[in-house]
Amino acid sequence: MTQQFTINKDSILPILRMELIYDGRHDFNKFWDAIQDADITFTMTNVDTKVIKIANAPCYIKLREEDVCVDQYVICYEWKKRDTKERGVYEGVFTINFNGNITNESGISYPKGDLIMPIREKLFIVIQ
């Protein structure tokens, strides 16, 4: 399975957004606390040439605008003009680097290390 995001050449809109999947098996509130202290980056590689177009560019998290009971966030990357200068198909990857600096009220530290997104399916960006 794959996800596809399409953007026009030389465009900076729409913003690339990645939703994290709530699978019901983990405590999502703990995850959101940990992601608040994480460094999030985006890398984009040309599928044909394997040349990296964007390397570890900073991203941010944003509260989802939908009306839901629990706060949910999306990871966002804002395009620069240089990012979309060349047409082609690219694979995109978000890396969440958990710093491990957050400890909950019970004294348990949140994770430390990298999480690569998306997990279940590849993200392809088409610049047309």
Side-chain angles (χ1 to χ4, degrees):
M1 297 181 76
T2 62
Q3 297 180 53
Q4 183 171 310
F5 178 88
T6 303
I7 188 167
N8 291 326
K9 182 180 181 294
D10 296 321
S11 182
I12 58 169
L13 293 174
I15 293 171
L16 179 60
R17 298 164 48 107
M18 170 65 63
E19 292 187 28
L20 299 174
I21 298 170
Y22 176 62
D23 63 7
R25 294 181 294 174
H26 300 91
D27 186 343
F28 225 49
N29 290 330
K30 289 180 184 177
F31 181 77
W32 291 128
D33 287 344
I35 203 170
Q36 299 291 327
D37 186 51
D39 296 316
I40 306 169
T41 59
F42 175 68
T43 299
M44 186 172 84
T45 306
N46 185 297
V47 170
D48 295 326
T49 65
K50 307 298 184 217
V51 173
I52 296 174
K53 177 74 175 173
I54 302 169
N56 298 316
C59 299
Y60 62 93
I61 56 172
K62 178 180 176 184
L63 186 62
R64 226 169 121 186
E65 291 93 13
E66 296 177 19
D67 187 22
V68 292
C69 296
V70 178
D71 285 346
Q72 294 180 0
Y73 296 87
V74 292
I75 298 171
C76 300
Y77 175 72
E78 291 188 10
W79 299 101
K80 318 298 182 280
K81 276 273 194 187
R82 67 178 180 265
D83 297 339
T84 60
K85 280 190 172 290
E86 299 172 30
R87 287 184 171 92
V89 178
Y90 300 84
E91 184 175 354
V93 174
F94 290 90
T95 303
I96 304 170
N97 180 272
F98 294 101
N99 298 315
N101 295 330
I102 295 181
T103 304
N104 70 10
E105 58 277 354
S106 302
I108 299 170
S109 294
Y110 289 114
K112 185 173 184 155
D114 291 341
L115 176 63
I116 308 298
M117 301 290 301
I119 294 174
R120 295 188 180 155
E121 48 193 35
K122 291 187 177 193
L123 169 64
F124 290 104
I125 294 107
V126 178
I127 300 175
Q128 57 186 13

